[in-house]
Amino acid sequence: MKKLLLILAVAFFAAGAPADDLTTKSGKVYKSFAIMGAAPNGILIFHENGKAVIPVKEFPDEYKDKIAKYAKEIPAKKREAAKQKAIKAKQAKQAAAARKKREAEKKARMKKYLADEEARKKKEEAAVKAASAKTAAKGTGGFSDDMFKNND
């Protein structure tokens, strides 16, 4: 929609349509402006330096007739903007909940992995101890060390 408005504004200016300068009630000047439509917080205009949204109360009195139809659209634009903001907030909340759930699942998987790894190490240590004890018991085959001593 924004691109379309920009294209329309460029076409409007390129067509050689006379463009006025707008001096708002607060004194800000917009050179070669064109009214493009309503926005949630005012009237959207394009001017030689880009675009701007001007609150209705800032327009000089001589433009009241030109902006009247756009001013009527502002409440609907506000509602639509609020609706979009609520949708984005809901999506952000859902995304945060999904991230939190994924993090909890990741933490649970890591905890299970560490517990499994600890159990595997203990089992391995027990197997090594059992093998060592079996080897130690079997080691001399029932002979004592005294039997191997040299009796000279």
Side-chain angles (χ1 to χ4, degrees):
M1 181 70 182
K2 290 180 183 180
K3 288 182 181 180
L4 176 63
L5 289 175
L6 185 58
I7 291 169
L8 289 174
V10 169
F12 180 77
F13 290 129
D20 295 332
D21 293 344
L22 171 67
T23 303
T24 63
K25 288 183 179 178
S26 61
K28 182 135 172 119
V29 177
Y30 297 94
K31 299 274 188 191
S32 302
F33 87 102
I35 296 172
M36 300 310 292
N41 54 348
I43 307 294
L44 176 66
I45 67 163
F46 283 105
H47 54 95
E48 68 181 28
N49 293 326
K51 63 183 179 177
V53 176
I54 312 294
V56 173
K57 64 182 180 180
E58 283 293 313
F59 275 88
D61 293 334
E62 66 251 26
Y63 290 101
K64 292 298 181 190
D65 292 337
K66 287 184 180 180
I67 65 168
K69 70 177 182 178
Y70 301 113
K72 289 178 186 176
E73 297 174 15
I74 292 173
K77 295 286 186 176
K78 281 184 181 181
R79 284 190 300 274
E80 183 61 30
K83 184 178 176 182
Q84 291 300 320
K85 185 177 179 181
I87 289 170
K88 286 182 181 182
K90 184 178 179 182
Q91 289 172 341
K93 188 176 180 181
Q94 289 172 339
R99 277 192 305 275
K100 188 175 180 180
K101 182 179 177 183
R102 284 192 308 272
E103 286 297 319
E105 289 170 348
K106 182 179 176 182
K107 188 175 181 180
R109 283 191 310 271
M110 182 57 79
K111 188 175 181 180
K112 184 181 181 320
Y113 170 78
L114 292 174
D116 289 349
E117 192 64 21
E118 185 67 28
R120 185 193 61 77
K121 284 181 183 178
K122 284 183 180 180
K123 187 176 178 181
E124 190 176 280
E125 288 172 1
V128 168
K129 281 183 182 178
S132 180
K134 189 175 182 181
T135 303
K138 191 177 183 185
T140 57
F143 296 105
S144 68
D145 288 339
D146 293 339
M147 295 180 81
F148 294 107
K149 286 186 180 172
N150 202 356
N151 288 336
D152 288 331

